[in-house]
Amino acid sequence: GPKVLQIPSHQIIDMGQMVTLNCDPVSNHLYFYWYKQILGQQMEFLVNFYNGKVMEKSKLFKDQFSVERPDGSYFTLKIQPTALEDSAVYFCASSFRESAETLYFGSGTRLTVL
Amino acid sequence: GDSVTQTEGLVTVTEGLPVMLNCTYQTAYSDVAFFWYVQYLNEAPKLLLRSSTDNKRTEHQGFHATLHKSSSSFHLQKSSVQLSDSALYYCALSDDPSGSWQLIFGSGTQLTVMP
């Protein structure tokens, strides 16, 4: 079936550095999402993105976070600068319609901030 | 705000026996859909089944769930589990307060099936 690829699967960086998490969504999908999961807790919505714009973001989506999908390539989540509390697994998802029923998730990127 | 509660973090069941994974929720909205996602080790979460109709049983891959709005529940059940059912199961709801569908997840239940 359709797959969402996330690169890399693990990333370790020092606090204060910048990190970019990459997501290769399903090819004909139009809506893109990031979710954050701290160890032992539930996945939480960060942001969704459509037609080159952020549609909605949660309070977890701090000013240090940004998303983009330049020229239909990777959908990226950038954190600059990183903080210790950013350590989590970040899941990318995409969908063809604006509907949770057609949401496909990637396997996640485990980010560790030291 | 909306919330989803999965009370069991870990459930262990012997192969061939039934299982029920609990899911309850709180929402202020009426136009809400409910989901169960399954995540196998090192894989992406995948949709297992969904429902938005009160008191209607939904089935997929041997699992079933019935939305009960009267008790705010959407428990997942299977009559006879298999070893391959071992995975992390998430209950989730999706409302549409602003026209932008978001999933609100529970904390997940790790199901381990023993031989």
Side-chain angles (χ1 to χ4, degrees):
Chain A
K3 288 198 174 184
V4 174
L5 300 177
Q6 290 190 240
I7 304 162
S9 57
H10 294 80
Q11 180 103 36
I12 301 174
I13 60 169
D14 291 325
M15 183 178 62
Q17 287 190 320
M18 181 195 75
V19 68
T20 301
L21 308 183
N22 296 301
C23 172
D24 188 9
V26 178
S27 60
N28 64 339
H29 282 187
L30 303 175
Y31 297 86
F32 312 105
Y33 310 78
W34 283 102
Y35 283 79
K36 176 182 179 181
Q37 184 178 34
I38 295 173
L39 186 64
Q41 299 182 23
Q42 60 260 58
M43 279 191 280
E44 293 187 272
F45 172 80
L46 280 177
V47 65
N48 56 11
F49 188 85
Y50 168 73
N51 198 26
K53 298 174 187 174
V54 170
M55 295 174 61
E56 194 161 358
K57 55 187 179 182
S58 72
K59 58 185 177 183
L60 296 178
F61 194 78
K62 304 181 298 183
D63 291 342
Q64 298 89 328
F65 287 31
S66 63
V67 291
E68 64 176 355
R69 192 183 186 216
D71 301 324
S73 59
Y74 287 150
F75 176 51
T76 63
L77 173 65
K78 183 185 292 185
I79 309 174
Q80 182 178 27
T82 52
L84 295 176
E85 60 265 26
D86 296 330
S87 293
V89 178
Y90 291 84
F91 289 94
C92 173
S94 70
S95 65
F96 180 68
R97 292 190 298 272
E98 190 181 12
S99 164
E101 297 183 45
T102 61
L103 209 58
Y104 288 84
F105 282 89
S107 302
T109 293
R110 182 175 297 278
L111 176 65
T112 301
V113 181
L114 303 176
Chain B
D2 293 356
S3 65
V4 175
T5 301
Q6 294 179 251
T7 53
E8 311 120 333
L10 182 63
V11 171
T12 303
V13 183
T14 301
E15 185 181 18
L17 293 183
V19 69
M20 184 170 82
L21 307 185
N22 292 318
C23 174
T24 57
Y25 64 89
Q26 284 188 316
T27 180
Y29 302 98
S30 57
D31 186 17
V32 186
F34 297 88
F35 305 82
W36 277 98
Y37 278 81
V38 58
Q39 185 179 20
Y40 299 101
L41 190 62
N42 297 324
E43 295 186 13
K46 296 177 189 176
L47 180 64
L48 180 60
L49 49 79
R50 54 91 59 196
S51 178
S52 58
T53 306
D54 198 12
N55 297 316
K56 181 181 177 182
R57 175 172 164 143
T58 302
E59 298 190 39
H60 186 61
Q61 295 182 341
F63 287 90
H64 63 91
T66 302
L67 175 62
H68 292 296
K69 291 187 178 181
S70 60
S71 58
S72 299
S73 67
F74 190 55
H75 305 319
L76 182 68
Q77 301 183 65
K78 190 171 186 181
S79 58
S80 177
V81 294
Q82 302 173 338
L83 294 175
S84 57
D85 293 328
S86 293
L88 185 56
Y89 291 82
Y90 291 103
C91 183
L93 71 81
S94 182
D95 58 31
D96 189 18
S98 59
S100 176
W101 290 80
Q102 304 173 21
L103 281 171
I104 298 168
F105 285 91
S107 53
T109 297
Q110 178 68 49
L111 174 64
T112 301
V113 180
M114 306 290 288

